[in-house]
Amino acid sequence: MFRPQIAEHPILEMMLDSAGIYTGDEDASDQDLFVVERKTFKSLCSGLVQQCGCLSNPSWTIASFIKKGHVARVQFVCPHCKQSRVWASSRVLSGHYQKLVHAFTCAGMLPRQYMNFALFAGMGVVKLKYISSVYLNQLYQQVVADVAEESMKAAVERWVITDARHDSTSNAYHSTVPCLAGSTHRIVGISTLSRQQHRVAQTREVACTKIILPQVIARGLNITEVAHDYQATIKLYVRQLGMVNSYDTWHGTKNVAKQLRHICAARCTKVHLYWCMRNCGGNPVRLRAMIMNISKHFQGDHQSCSSESPCQQPGYIPKRKHLTMPAAISAYEAALRKTLIYKNADSCHLCRDTYWVESFNHQLLTYLPKRIHFHTKTYEMRMNLAVMDWNENCQRMATSHHEYTDVRRPDHHSTYNVLVKKTYRFVNNIWMMPNNCYDAALYDGDYVDSEDDDYVCSEDGGDDDRFLNWLAYLGALYNWSWWLALDRNGARFGRHISQKSSC
């Protein structure tokens, strides 16, 4: 980049350096960074202009600069009387570190991502040992759980949505079932079970549902209907509670194409099935009649079709040939009777879907990516953070609408809502909770003692980097099969790795 005659203007060059613009100084790229509190920075500014005991003009010089973690300790010396003063960038070192751990955790970052960012920026690194101590701190976990519980206190008009979410694609260790209000889309309850609590991952959804529904009902919420995926066991349990059972519409039509691919155009049948569920008026008998009318529609008989349908408009020309062969008509009607929607019309007549639960599960990947195995306590803590994030932003208003067309499906047009900017008030709510007290010692401007060296990293990362490098080597060598075997057998070493990784 061309910089005309900056070397001839030292004042301008100094202003550019202080403004954050790199001017080509050889020492500028080697400067370390540290984090400073506003109060300590004010005390530094006021202390530099104060006179020392010799009553000379303030001209303090830096005698030593030591940085551990994100905190710096600076010793100033008067050149006249040699009097020294010590300043630290943080008054409460444990709280300083913990706020940074709290910040990157609420942002959805993993400990290794934070450590790499801090290491590359040269701002000091807190060790995994300290991050683990924060995550396993009972007070911190309780505060996060309390704030999440407060955010789930919402009135439910009539119906809720449930769906299972597993932490991995196969043989999941943790399974979670959130319960969302159908009208407000806010999470009103959540249940998580681990492999130690329930061994079989395939039946964990039913167990979590049997836990979360009584909890939500015990809060006094007026729930009369539960919508979920196609689970016959949950259907029986919901009816035992005296509530209406509803199946997800997508699961009701996902196998229609497979059942009808040898008979007719299955795609048109799926569109008609969706239309029947939306316009049956909540009547299961009428829903079955409308489904069987699909066969008459493709035969050219439109007497029972809706007056708003295109087939009732003048000049209607069908896009496909009519069904005329008796064998084809019988096979098509038999296939319609075998569909999940026809056989379970009493669970599909309200046309419910689990879209909002799937949307929450998609956002959950920010806090709980499936490629990472989390400790149970850490998993529950990050789940609570995701719940607070969702409840705070799920009802955002749209500023505009944008229509787009998928190149893979040119006939499918969708509208994308441009929402207002997200807010993160829950982060400050957790930090400012009265019960959020930690084991932090006041140093009053002095620096950390020698025993705190275990909680901060040197520039090379320390023992934790060597341990993780060794762990990654073994994982790549044995394709993680040894870890799966140890974890499946409940070995202590597997649990130790989970705690050591602070994930």
Side-chain angles (χ1 to χ4, degrees):
M1 183 178 66
F2 177 70
R3 295 184 294 110
Q5 299 180 353
I6 288 183
E8 299 179 2
H9 302 278
I11 298 179
L12 177 60
E13 185 173 0
M14 180 182 65
M15 293 175 60
L16 289 175
D17 287 338
S18 62
I21 301 176
Y22 180 65
T23 58
D25 188 4
E26 296 180 357
D27 298 332
S29 59
D30 298 329
Q31 301 299 317
D32 289 337
L33 307 178
F34 62 89
V35 181
V36 59
E37 296 178 351
R38 180 183 300 178
K39 189 171 183 177
T40 58
F41 180 73
K42 290 182 178 179
S43 65
L44 172 65
C45 296
S46 61
L48 291 177
V49 297
Q50 292 179 358
Q51 295 180 345
C52 63
C54 62
L55 301 179
S56 61
N57 293 328
S59 57
W60 299 96
T61 59
I62 299 178
S64 64
F65 178 88
I66 303 175
K67 188 183 71 171
K68 289 186 179 180
H70 302 294
V71 182
R73 175 188 182 274
V74 185
Q75 183 180 10
F76 296 93
V77 177
C78 177
H80 303 286
C81 62
K82 305 303 181 183
Q83 179 184 356
S84 64
R85 292 181 180 179
V86 178
W87 174 83
S89 62
S90 175
R91 295 171 296 118
V92 184
L93 300 184
S94 298
H96 196 125
Y97 296 147
Q98 182 145 15
K99 188 169 186 178
L100 292 172
V101 174
H102 168 68
F104 81 74
T105 304
C106 291
M109 295 176 61
L110 298 176
R112 179 50 57 184
Q113 294 173 336
Y114 146 76
M115 295 181 69
N116 289 340
F117 163 75
L119 183 64
F120 299 158
M123 57 184 297
V125 180
V126 177
K127 275 189 176 181
L128 289 174
K129 180 179 179 181
Y130 183 80
I131 300 175
S132 300
S133 67
V134 174
Y135 285 171
L136 301 179
N137 190 310
Q138 297 294 333
L139 291 175
Y140 183 75
Q141 294 177 6
Q142 187 61 38
V143 167
V144 174
D146 291 343
V147 179
E149 185 70 21
E150 186 68 24
S151 70
M152 289 187 288
K153 292 181 179 179
V156 180
E157 294 181 359
R158 191 167 59 88
W159 63 290
V160 294
I161 314 170
T162 62
D163 191 15
R165 191 263 186 188
H166 304 284
D167 65 349
S168 60
T169 56
S170 62
N171 197 20
Y173 191 88
H174 297 99
S175 297
T176 303
V177 172
C179 183
L180 275 73
S183 55
T184 61
H185 309 143
R186 291 173 60 90
I187 298 178
V188 295
I190 196 164
S191 175
T192 301
L193 290 177
S194 64
R195 187 183 302 166
Q196 296 179 351
Q197 298 169 319
H198 194 283
R199 296 294 300 175
V200 184
Q202 289 74 12
T203 59
R204 234 174 264 158
E205 179 179 0
V206 179
C208 289
T209 304
K210 292 183 178 180
I211 294 175
I212 190 59
L213 287 181
Q215 291 180 357
V216 175
I217 296 174
R219 297 176 182 172
L221 302 180
N222 184 21
I223 300 176
T224 59
E225 180 190 352
V226 178
H228 59 91
D229 294 346
Y230 180 65
Q231 289 285 347
T233 308
I234 298 180
K235 176 181 178 180
L236 295 176
Y237 177 71
V238 169
R239 291 187 172 179
Q240 289 176 2
L241 296 177
M243 294 184 290
V244 178
N245 178 79
S246 294
Y247 284 152
D248 175 45
T249 56
W250 181 85
H251 287 81
T253 59
K254 69 174 184 177
N255 293 324
V256 171
K258 182 178 180 181
Q259 296 173 358
L260 302 178
R261 67 175 184 269
H262 298 300
I263 301 175
C264 65
R267 185 174 181 180
C268 297
T269 304
K270 290 182 64 175
V271 174
H272 280 79
L273 289 174
Y274 278 115
W275 187 90
C276 292
M277 287 186 289
R278 287 195 302 267
N279 296 275
C280 68
N283 191 337
V285 177
R286 185 182 178 187
L287 175 59
R288 287 192 175 98
M290 295 176 68
I291 292 176
M292 298 310 301
N293 186 62
I294 299 176
S295 176
K296 297 181 180 180
H297 172 79
F298 285 121
Q299 296 177 47
D301 184 3
H302 307 297
Q303 295 181 0
S304 300
C305 295
S306 175
S307 59
E308 300 178 357
S309 299
C311 60
Q312 297 286 6
Q313 306 302 323
Y316 169 72
I317 300 177
K319 296 181 180 180
R320 291 170 177 81
K321 295 176 61 177
H322 289 159
L323 290 174
T324 56
M325 297 179 59
I329 296 175
S330 300
Y332 185 64
E333 291 180 350
L336 289 177
R337 293 189 183 94
K338 292 180 181 179
T339 58
L340 178 64
I341 299 175
Y342 186 88
K343 293 189 294 185
N344 298 273
D346 56 344
S347 297
C348 300
H349 61 288
L350 296 175
C351 193
R352 305 300 190 189
D353 60 71
T354 59
Y355 164 79
W356 290 100
V357 181
E358 301 297 341
S359 180
F360 169 71
N361 292 337
H362 179 72
Q363 182 219 313
L364 198 57
L365 296 175
T366 303
Y367 296 89
L368 292 169
K370 290 191 174 184
R371 71 183 188 276
I372 305 296
H373 172 71
F374 292 90
H375 188 277
T376 300
K377 293 182 179 180
T378 306
Y379 182 91
E380 294 175 351
M381 180 191 66
R382 285 179 169 264
M383 180 65 69
N384 288 329
L385 294 175
V387 167
M388 290 181 283
D389 188 2
W390 173 266
N391 285 345
E392 185 175 339
N393 298 283
C394 67
Q395 295 178 306
R396 288 182 294 162
M397 302 298 295
T399 59
S400 59
H401 304 281
H402 175 69
E403 293 185 358
Y404 69 94
T405 303
D406 192 347
V407 295
R408 296 169 297 183
R409 302 176 61 184
D411 59 336
H412 183 72
H413 301 278
S414 300
T415 301
Y416 175 76
N417 295 330
V418 181
L419 305 178
V420 299
K421 188 177 180 180
K422 292 182 65 175
T423 59
Y424 300 94
R425 292 188 298 270
F426 71 94
V427 178
N428 190 58
N429 292 340
I430 296 174
W431 188 253
M432 300 304 295
M433 279 287 288
N435 296 329
N436 197 7
C437 52
Y438 311 110
D439 297 332
L442 285 171
Y443 287 88
D444 293 332
D446 203 354
Y447 192 59
V448 63
D449 294 333
S450 59
E451 66 234 10
D452 291 309
D453 291 344
D454 294 335
Y455 297 108
V456 293
C457 277
S458 58
E459 294 184 357
D460 61 351
D463 296 335
D464 287 323
D465 277 347
R466 288 187 287 271
F467 174 79
L468 292 175
N469 291 336
W470 171 77
L471 183 63
Y473 169 75
L474 290 180
L477 182 63
Y478 297 103
N479 197 22
W480 299 105
S481 59
W482 61 277
W483 156 252
L484 295 177
L486 288 172
D487 185 63
R488 190 177 297 111
N489 297 330
R492 294 183 178 180
F493 184 66
R495 292 195 295 268
H496 174 70
I497 292 177
S498 300
Q499 298 176 1
K500 184 70 177 178
S501 63
S502 300
C503 294

Short mmCIF file of all heavy atoms in Angstrom, two decimals, residues 17 24 76 87 90 105 227 278 293 325 339 346 384 395 408 433 439-440 482:
data_model
loop_
_atom_site.label_atom_id
_atom_site.label_comp_id
_atom_site.label_asym_id
_atom_site.label_seq_id
_atom_site.Cartn_x
_atom_site.Cartn_y
_atom_site.Cartn_z
N ASP A 17 -0.58 4.98 14.36
CA ASP A 17 -0.33 3.81 15.21
C ASP A 17 -1.37 3.73 16.32
O ASP A 17 -1.88 2.65 16.63
CB ASP A 17 1.08 3.89 15.80
CG ASP A 17 2.14 3.60 14.75
OD1 ASP A 17 1.79 2.96 13.74
OD2 ASP A 17 3.30 4.03 14.95
N GLY A 24 3.63 -0.12 9.31
CA GLY A 24 4.86 -0.76 8.89
C GLY A 24 5.93 -0.81 9.94
O GLY A 24 7.09 -1.09 9.62
N PHE A 76 5.72 0.19 37.83
CA PHE A 76 6.20 1.52 37.47
C PHE A 76 7.19 1.99 38.54
O PHE A 76 6.98 1.77 39.73
CB PHE A 76 5.04 2.51 37.37
CG PHE A 76 4.06 2.18 36.28
CD1 PHE A 76 2.94 1.41 36.55
CD2 PHE A 76 4.26 2.64 34.99
CE1 PHE A 76 2.03 1.11 35.55
CE2 PHE A 76 3.36 2.35 33.99
CZ PHE A 76 2.25 1.58 34.26
N TRP A 87 0.61 -2.16 39.11
CA TRP A 87 -0.74 -2.09 38.55
C TRP A 87 -1.05 -3.38 37.81
O TRP A 87 -0.19 -3.92 37.09
CB TRP A 87 -0.86 -0.91 37.59
CG TRP A 87 -2.18 -0.85 36.87
CD1 TRP A 87 -3.35 -0.32 37.31
CD2 TRP A 87 -2.45 -1.34 35.55
NE1 TRP A 87 -4.33 -0.45 36.38
CE2 TRP A 87 -3.80 -1.08 35.27
CE3 TRP A 87 -1.68 -1.99 34.58
CZ2 TRP A 87 -4.40 -1.43 34.07
CZ3 TRP A 87 -2.27 -2.34 33.39
CH2 TRP A 87 -3.61 -2.06 33.14
N SER A 90 -6.54 -6.42 36.06
CA SER A 90 -7.78 -6.96 36.62
C SER A 90 -7.68 -6.95 38.13
O SER A 90 -6.64 -7.28 38.71
CB SER A 90 -8.04 -8.38 36.10
OG SER A 90 -9.16 -8.94 36.73
N THR A 105 -18.47 -19.28 25.85
CA THR A 105 -19.42 -20.38 25.94
C THR A 105 -20.80 -19.95 25.47
O THR A 105 -21.48 -20.66 24.73
CB THR A 105 -19.50 -20.92 27.37
OG1 THR A 105 -18.19 -21.30 27.81
CG2 THR A 105 -20.42 -22.12 27.45
N ALA A 227 -48.35 -32.64 19.54
CA ALA A 227 -47.94 -32.98 18.18
C ALA A 227 -46.51 -33.49 18.20
O ALA A 227 -45.65 -32.92 18.87
CB ALA A 227 -48.06 -31.77 17.26
N ARG A 278 -55.22 -29.74 5.38
CA ARG A 278 -55.42 -28.33 5.71
C ARG A 278 -56.88 -27.90 5.61
O ARG A 278 -57.28 -26.92 6.25
CB ARG A 278 -54.57 -27.45 4.79
CG ARG A 278 -53.09 -27.47 5.08
CD ARG A 278 -52.39 -26.32 4.37
NE ARG A 278 -52.59 -26.36 2.94
CZ ARG A 278 -51.78 -26.93 2.07
NH1 ARG A 278 -50.68 -27.54 2.51
NH2 ARG A 278 -52.05 -26.92 0.77
N ASN A 293 -61.58 -38.95 -2.47
CA ASN A 293 -62.03 -38.14 -3.61
C ASN A 293 -60.88 -37.82 -4.56
O ASN A 293 -61.12 -37.39 -5.69
CB ASN A 293 -62.67 -36.85 -3.10
CG ASN A 293 -63.28 -36.02 -4.20
OD1 ASN A 293 -64.20 -36.46 -4.89
ND2 ASN A 293 -62.73 -34.82 -4.41
N MET A 325 -58.63 -47.24 -16.55
CA MET A 325 -58.58 -48.70 -16.39
C MET A 325 -59.07 -49.08 -15.00
O MET A 325 -58.62 -48.52 -13.99
CB MET A 325 -57.16 -49.21 -16.60
CG MET A 325 -56.61 -48.94 -18.00
SD MET A 325 -54.91 -49.53 -18.18
CE MET A 325 -55.13 -51.27 -17.81
N THR A 339 -52.12 -45.39 3.11
CA THR A 339 -51.29 -44.28 3.56
C THR A 339 -51.45 -44.05 5.06
O THR A 339 -52.49 -44.37 5.65
CB THR A 339 -51.66 -42.99 2.80
OG1 THR A 339 -53.04 -42.71 3.00
CG2 THR A 339 -51.37 -43.14 1.31
N ASP A 346 -57.46 -39.75 12.62
CA ASP A 346 -57.75 -39.10 13.90
C ASP A 346 -56.55 -38.43 14.51
O ASP A 346 -56.67 -37.70 15.50
CB ASP A 346 -58.32 -40.14 14.88
CG ASP A 346 -57.38 -41.32 15.06
OD1 ASP A 346 -56.47 -41.50 14.23
OD2 ASP A 346 -57.57 -42.06 16.05
N ASN A 384 -29.11 -25.54 28.01
CA ASN A 384 -29.83 -24.44 28.63
C ASN A 384 -29.50 -23.10 27.97
O ASN A 384 -30.37 -22.24 27.82
CB ASN A 384 -29.50 -24.37 30.13
CG ASN A 384 -30.12 -25.51 30.91
OD1 ASN A 384 -31.19 -26.01 30.57
ND2 ASN A 384 -29.45 -25.94 31.96
N GLN A 395 -39.41 -15.06 18.44
CA GLN A 395 -40.56 -14.25 18.05
C GLN A 395 -40.14 -12.91 17.45
O GLN A 395 -40.87 -11.92 17.56
CB GLN A 395 -41.47 -14.01 19.26
CG GLN A 395 -42.12 -15.27 19.80
CD GLN A 395 -42.98 -15.00 21.01
OE1 GLN A 395 -42.53 -14.41 21.99
NE2 GLN A 395 -44.23 -15.41 20.96
N ARG A 408 -32.43 -26.30 -7.79
CA ARG A 408 -32.70 -27.74 -7.90
C ARG A 408 -34.19 -28.02 -8.04
O ARG A 408 -34.58 -29.10 -8.46
CB ARG A 408 -32.14 -28.46 -6.68
CG ARG A 408 -30.62 -28.39 -6.57
CD ARG A 408 -30.15 -28.89 -5.22
NE ARG A 408 -30.65 -28.05 -4.13
CZ ARG A 408 -30.34 -28.24 -2.85
NH1 ARG A 408 -29.54 -29.24 -2.50
NH2 ARG A 408 -30.83 -27.43 -1.92
N MET A 433 -26.71 -12.45 37.90
CA MET A 433 -27.55 -13.12 38.89
C MET A 433 -26.93 -12.99 40.28
O MET A 433 -25.71 -13.12 40.44
CB MET A 433 -27.71 -14.60 38.54
CG MET A 433 -28.76 -14.85 37.48
SD MET A 433 -30.43 -14.65 38.10
CE MET A 433 -30.59 -16.08 39.13
N ASP A 439 -15.56 -18.54 43.48
CA ASP A 439 -14.41 -18.56 44.37
C ASP A 439 -13.29 -17.71 43.77
O ASP A 439 -12.32 -18.21 43.21
CB ASP A 439 -13.92 -20.00 44.58
CG ASP A 439 -14.98 -20.84 45.26
OD1 ASP A 439 -15.78 -20.27 46.00
OD2 ASP A 439 -15.01 -22.06 45.03
N ALA A 440 -13.44 -16.40 43.86
CA ALA A 440 -12.47 -15.47 43.31
C ALA A 440 -11.89 -14.63 44.44
O ALA A 440 -12.59 -14.13 45.29
CB ALA A 440 -13.13 -14.55 42.26
N TRP A 482 -11.12 -47.53 19.38
CA TRP A 482 -10.77 -47.79 20.78
C TRP A 482 -11.58 -46.91 21.72
O TRP A 482 -12.00 -47.32 22.78
CB TRP A 482 -9.29 -47.52 20.98
CG TRP A 482 -8.92 -46.10 20.69
CD1 TRP A 482 -8.65 -45.54 19.48
CD2 TRP A 482 -8.83 -45.03 21.64
NE1 TRP A 482 -8.38 -44.20 19.60
CE2 TRP A 482 -8.48 -43.86 20.91
CE3 TRP A 482 -8.99 -44.95 23.02
CZ2 TRP A 482 -8.30 -42.65 21.53
CZ3 TRP A 482 -8.82 -43.73 23.64
CH2 TRP A 482 -8.47 -42.60 22.89
#
